[in-house]
Amino acid sequence: MLTNLRVEYKTTPLGMDEPRPRFSWETSQNRQSTYRITVKAGDVLVWDSGEVASPRTTQVEYEGATLQCFTRYDWSVATKGEDGETLEASSYFETGYMGTKWTAPWIQPITYELRPTLTPVRTVFQCGAAASARLCITALGIFQAYLNEKRVTEEDLLPPGFTQYDKRVQYRVYDIGGLLRDGENQLEVLLGCGWFSGNISRIWNGFAPTWGKNPLIRAEMRLVQPDGAVEVIPVDAGNTKACRFTDQADIYDGTIVEAWHKFALNNPGEWKPIQEVDFANPPKLEGKDHLNPSFIPKIVWSCSEPVAHIRDVRPVSITKRSNGAYIVDFGQNLVGRERFTLRNNIQGTIVTIRHGEMLRDDGSLYYDNLRQAIARTVYVSGTAETETFEPELTFYGFRYLDVTGWPGELTADDILARVIHTDLPLTGSFSSDHKMLNQLQSNILWGQRSNFVDIPTDCPQRDERLGWTGDTQVFADEATWNMDAAAFYTKWLADLNAGQSVNGSYAHYAPSPYNFIHAYEYDGATGWGDAGIVCPWVMLEKYGDTRIVKKYMPQMLRWLDWEIERSNDTYILDVAKYQDWLYIGWQETTENMTPKDFISSAYLAGMLRLTARMLHLIGDDAEAAHRMRQYQEARKAVQGKFLDAQGAPLVRTQTGLLMALEWDLFEPASAAIAADLLVKNIRDINDTHLTTGFLGTPLLLQVLTKIGQSDLAYDLLLQTTYPGWLYPITQGATTMWERWNSYTKDKGFGNVGMNSFNHYAYGAVGAWFYRT
């Protein structure tokens, strides 16, 4: 049997603009000996690979005729096993614009200066029977689309995703054929600020907008008539109006919905003309420019999977407090939205829900660590006797809810948590006979689910939720064992590289709302900027993706050259802005602090070697040899700077020793000393405990295994006292924490300025479960 047929990592994609797509499949044959791929447009054969003698089942590149825009291509693969067994399966994909122009303009519905208001945009149009119909839509913001009062998709919750808007914005294509009717039709798009103009793009800039003040959309419908004629219906000033609406939604703040105000949608007087936008000559609305005119967004196809509703979680307990509020406990820290049902509703009932990850000792909701994120749902009920509500165009990180204003008794039948994240299939699993180790794996996986919301975020609950590069690169290995994240990282790497500075340094998070207004964000950071190298390596190692390595190799080399230039060609430099983030004693003591210049210099050497390996694997042996020579020079420089006269390491922190051993920076005699010092530091000085932070921790167990200390690796992993991976579990953790001691039963909560209970970085240890 041939299964899981995919094109560019996606199953039957619509709106794909890759001119040379790659095919993959899975086979039940013990060993495939040949394959043959054929691709047709209707009855026309556009590619026949012929029978290829190869066991290859991934990254088979299309080599046929030029793909045309908005065309369905049916493809099939036939394989032969070594035993002579033959198998065959078929699938399809549809292209999108393929570089052709849109008919519809960008439109600006209604401007608001401060409030993140939801804006309904309504297009009324006529149509008859259609052989097929597609909605092509994008936004600077996020949206939900409805056709004739039915959602065009239930599987795409935050489209079109978060991108480096000044460089790229994605579009979506939806099949709307089943929703059209003869005669008059109504397309309604609910438009929100999202990542583009919501507080996530303002809060670190004094609440001034960076990309633009208000969201915009661009949309058109493509109808193919039974005779093959194509009709394009643009969403423009001629057929579209917007409604001034009081409902609000913001990623940080949550949502305010007044259901009883929805009569406005049926009041023609509330619908106002929209403004078409020419980015080259942006109009002035209400006396002010409505968007930053310094960029014209490039529209690209959506290469990742959508954020979708994955599962529901019911409460494990509901407790009524003395003040009348209910505390709802779902038993699991997660990301998503609540859904609740009001029964015997009285119009105007106001239900307020706050979200939090922990409870205080008195049983009240703890939300101080959310900082400026309000993370609140306010629902004012309408006129129906029974009303069910779920927030749209926002998401929360929470285990607990504080519910006030609930009429009557709140029961488990009235409320649930809707878990959302990017829809990636699970590919790996781990279990053992050790209960806490299994819980650790569960915590890691829930941390990944929670922080894979279109981009790899650092945390999903507070006023941050950004694609921090350091967190991403240390966790990518583990992430790709747990889930098939190839499409996910393909999309994120496009934004990371789109935001690279002209001098070669990478922004600290991607996408970055601030990289073109704060020069600081372009001043690279060791271990963070190196995501530009590590993540393509993971794509190559796990998925055989040489294309992505070739595509971004020039930018990887620019990053390395930027570092070498900063070192004045000595390979000793200090750009470790974040050091070994949150090591034990961070900002309190220098006892476990690894010098910045060692971290930067060691990382530079390690990344030179890794890049040389990638260059060799993509066939650029000359450049590989050059970078390997640089690695050797950097290695010598590290030895000259950080070894004493007897060849012993001068930097003796766990992280420093781990980096030296991981990247083979010392000669054998010095490496042996480093290994002994590492074992002594862990076992004797720290009583079999770690002292590492974000950069050192992922190296711990794999380096101990490398130097023949697997027993110590197990002892360290299974340590249940602070600090260690299992300690938070003894404190009730259901996800990975940002700090080793984000909460302790004896000391309470850690520093509220930075204390997430859903941070996946330390979950990088899970890669050792699979590898070792």
Side-chain angles (χ1 to χ4, degrees):
M1 180 182 297
L2 300 181
T3 58
N4 199 19
L5 274 66
R6 296 190 299 169
V7 183
E8 288 300 307
Y9 302 122
K10 303 184 78 170
T11 304
T12 61
L14 303 182
M16 188 189 72
D17 287 348
E18 173 54 55
R20 295 174 66 86
R22 295 163 296 177
F23 301 96
S24 67
W25 60 91
E26 294 176 12
T27 178
S28 61
Q29 292 159 326
N30 286 335
R31 185 166 175 82
Q32 173 188 293
S33 59
T34 71
Y35 70 81
R36 181 180 183 178
I37 297 175
T38 57
V39 182
K40 291 183 176 181
D43 295 328
V44 179
L45 180 67
V46 296
W47 185 46
D48 185 344
S49 70
E51 190 170 58
V52 180
S54 172
R56 192 179 192 90
T57 60
T58 64
Q59 309 293 355
V60 178
E61 189 172 281
Y62 174 79
E63 296 179 349
T66 301
L67 298 178
Q68 303 301 305
C69 66
F70 294 104
T71 302
R72 171 172 168 147
Y73 291 92
D74 296 284
W75 69 283
S76 63
V77 57
T79 67
K80 184 182 296 183
E82 288 186 337
D83 59 0
E85 179 188 18
T86 59
L87 300 173
E88 186 170 1
S90 301
S91 187
Y92 71 91
F93 63 92
E94 285 188 17
T95 53
Y97 286 90
M98 298 295 289
T100 60
K101 293 183 178 182
W102 288 61
T103 299
W106 282 101
I107 63 171
Q108 165 71 68
I110 294 173
T111 61
Y112 293 93
E113 283 301 312
L114 295 176
R115 294 184 298 136
T117 307
L118 292 170
T119 305
V121 179
R122 178 179 290 172
T123 302
V124 178
F125 62 98
Q126 301 285 329
C127 77
S132 71
R134 302 290 183 261
L135 169 64
C136 306
I137 182 169
T138 184
L140 294 170
I142 52 179
F143 66 85
Q144 279 298 332
Y146 298 80
L147 185 57
N148 297 322
E149 300 184 348
K150 294 182 180 179
R151 281 179 61 161
V152 300
T153 176
E154 296 293 332
E155 305 302 325
D156 198 355
L157 300 181
L158 298 170
F162 187 13
T163 52
Q164 191 68 42
Y165 294 113
D166 50 305
K167 301 292 178 65
R168 56 193 299 272
V169 60
Q170 300 177 126
Y171 75 92
R172 298 286 209 259
V173 176
Y174 302 116
D175 182 350
I176 57 173
L179 301 177
L180 285 175
R181 58 194 180 204
D182 289 344
E184 185 174 281
N185 289 262
Q186 179 176 286
L187 173 69
E188 191 164 286
V189 179
L190 187 63
L191 180 63
C193 295
W195 293 283
F196 175 74
S197 58
N199 286 333
I200 196 169
S201 68
R202 297 170 178 248
I203 202 165
W204 291 357
N205 191 38
F207 285 95
T210 53
W211 283 307
K213 291 185 177 70
N214 295 279
L216 302 92
I217 62 169
R218 195 176 196 180
E220 59 193 38
M221 288 157 282
R222 298 181 59 90
L223 280 55
V224 179
Q225 306 301 338
D227 63 0
V230 177
E231 179 185 7
V232 178
I233 302 173
V235 172
D236 59 22
N239 60 13
T240 303
K241 292 185 177 181
C243 181
R244 281 195 178 274
F245 214 41
T246 57
D247 291 357
Q248 300 176 41
D250 181 77
I251 289 173
Y252 286 167
D253 290 353
T255 190
I256 300 174
V257 171
E258 301 178 81
W260 64 284
H261 274 171
K262 290 194 175 180
F263 70 85
L265 297 177
N266 298 315
N267 182 354
E270 295 293 327
W271 291 88
K272 307 298 182 182
I274 55 92
Q275 174 71 57
E276 295 185 5
V277 174
D278 178 0
F279 272 80
N281 298 286
K284 291 183 181 296
L285 297 179
E286 299 184 358
K288 295 184 179 181
D289 288 333
H290 71 292
L291 57 86
N292 186 325
S294 63
F295 69 91
I296 299 175
K298 179 182 179 181
I299 303 176
V300 300
W301 74 285
S302 299
C303 62
S304 185
E305 300 297 342
V307 174
H309 163 237
I310 304 300
R311 66 176 72 187
D312 291 334
V313 177
R314 289 283 179 182
V316 297
S317 69
I318 298 178
T319 305
K320 189 172 186 178
R321 293 177 46 77
S322 59
N323 63 359
Y326 287 95
I327 296 294
V328 182
D329 179 7
F330 292 102
Q332 173 64 56
N333 201 356
L334 53 85
V335 165
R337 295 91 77 101
E338 70 279 4
R339 173 180 280 186
F340 60 81
T341 300
L342 291 172
R343 310 176 203 280
N344 301 315
N345 172 54
I346 299 175
Q347 179 181 340
T349 296
I350 302 175
V351 176
T352 302
I353 299 176
R354 295 210 64 166
H355 303 74
E357 301 176 288
M358 299 286 282
L359 298 180
R360 296 186 176 94
D361 291 341
D362 65 0
S364 63
L365 186 68
Y366 174 77
Y367 48 78
D368 297 356
N369 66 323
L370 303 186
R371 304 189 307 208
Q372 295 183 78
I374 298 174
R376 179 179 61 195
T377 298
V378 178
Y379 181 75
V380 184
S381 70
T383 58
E385 182 179 359
T386 300
E387 293 186 358
T388 298
F389 177 73
E390 175 184 343
E392 290 187 288
L393 305 186
T394 189
F395 62 91
Y396 308 101
F398 64 99
R399 170 176 171 172
Y400 301 95
L401 302 177
D402 178 288
V403 182
T404 59
W406 189 267
E409 181 184 1
L410 178 63
T411 71
D413 291 333
D414 299 326
I415 195 165
L416 54 80
R418 304 268 285 176
V419 177
I420 71 169
H421 57 80
T422 299
D423 191 6
L424 305 177
L426 294 175
T427 50
S429 62
F430 170 84
S431 63
S432 71
D433 62 358
H434 193 290
K435 184 177 180 181
M436 292 184 73
L437 206 56
N438 293 341
Q439 184 63 50
L440 175 59
Q441 171 65 14
S442 174
N443 290 7
I444 293 169
L445 187 56
W446 273 102
Q448 181 173 350
R449 291 182 179 121
S450 301
N451 285 289
F452 272 35
V453 180
D454 194 68
I455 65 167
T457 57
D458 57 328
C459 59
Q461 74 295 91
R462 67 187 182 211
D463 60 347
E464 198 156 358
R465 314 188 203 188
L466 296 170
W468 279 94
T469 49
D471 307 50
T472 304
Q473 69 96 352
V474 299
F475 190 71
D477 185 20
E478 163 66 350
T480 47
W481 285 113
N482 289 332
M483 296 181 184
D484 183 349
F488 180 80
Y489 281 117
T490 297
K491 183 258 184 183
W492 184 78
L493 279 167
D495 291 301
L496 174 67
N497 283 278
Q500 187 183 31
S501 166
V502 293
N503 68 16
S505 62
Y506 288 102
H508 301 168
Y509 37 82
S512 172
Y514 308 107
N515 62 0
F516 61 87
I517 59 173
H518 296 321
Y520 177 81
E521 303 302 335
Y522 268 161
D523 197 4
T526 294
W528 275 250
D530 295 296
I533 291 174
V534 173
C535 292
W537 163 252
V538 171
M539 291 289 290
L540 177 60
E541 182 190 37
K542 295 290 178 60
Y543 307 115
D545 196 331
T546 56
R547 176 184 287 178
I548 208 163
V549 172
K550 291 175 181 177
K551 180 177 182 179
Y552 297 126
M553 181 55 69
Q555 292 176 263
M556 295 185 225
L557 298 180
R558 282 205 299 273
W559 162 246
L560 293 173
D561 289 341
W562 177 83
E563 291 186 284
I564 293 169
E565 290 169 7
R566 288 288 295 265
S567 76
N568 296 317
D569 293 327
T570 66
Y571 299 97
I572 302 298
L573 74 160
D574 173 9
V575 292
K577 291 182 181 300
Y578 302 114
Q579 299 175 292
D580 182 25
W581 188 251
L582 295 181
Y583 64 87
I584 300 301
W586 182 77
Q587 290 188 335
E588 299 169 355
T589 175
T590 60
E591 182 179 357
N592 301 310
M593 185 176 71
T594 307
K596 290 183 179 181
D597 57 349
F598 180 85
I599 293 175
S600 286
S601 306
Y603 243 95
L604 172 58
M607 294 303 103
L608 283 165
R609 185 173 72 168
L610 184 60
T611 303
R613 186 174 182 185
M614 282 191 279
L615 285 161
H616 171 69
L617 290 171
I618 63 173
D620 192 346
D621 288 335
E623 186 67 27
H626 170 58
R627 297 298 170 170
M628 199 63 188
R629 286 191 296 270
Q630 289 184 322
Y631 161 71
Q632 294 294 349
E633 292 168 1
R635 187 170 175 267
K636 292 294 184 184
V638 169
Q639 294 171 16
K641 174 77 173 178
F642 299 106
L643 292 177
D644 65 17
Q646 288 72 45
L650 294 171
V651 177
R652 300 189 176 192
T653 62
Q654 289 181 15
T655 291
L657 296 167
L658 288 164
M659 289 179 176
L661 293 167
E662 170 70 8
W663 295 313
D664 299 315
L665 300 184
F666 299 155
E667 301 302 332
S670 296
I673 298 173
D676 290 342
L677 287 170
L678 177 64
V679 171
K680 181 179 179 181
N681 186 300
I682 295 171
R683 188 173 58 200
D684 301 332
I685 297 176
N686 289 287
D687 191 25
T688 314
H689 287 83
L690 54 80
T691 62
T692 50
F694 277 28
L695 298 185
T697 300
L699 306 178
L700 265 167
L701 302 190
Q702 66 191 48
V703 169
L704 288 174
T705 302
K706 177 180 178 179
I707 64 174
Q709 292 288 334
S710 291
D711 286 349
L712 181 56
Y714 275 100
D715 291 342
L716 188 62
L717 172 65
L718 298 178
Q719 180 64 259
T720 59
T721 56
Y722 170 80
W725 289 281
L726 300 187
Y727 174 72
I729 295 173
T730 70
Q731 307 299 300
T734 62
T735 45
M736 303 304 296
W737 290 355
E738 182 174 23
R739 296 171 177 266
W740 295 111
N741 60 343
S742 286
Y743 173 83
T744 62
K745 291 178 180 177
D746 57 335
K747 294 183 179 180
F749 295 103
N751 189 318
V752 297
M754 191 173 58
N755 196 29
S756 161
F757 292 91
N758 203 342
H759 240 75
Y760 59 39
Y762 289 138
V765 67
W768 188 79
F769 299 176
Y770 291 108
R771 291 187 180 275
T772 308

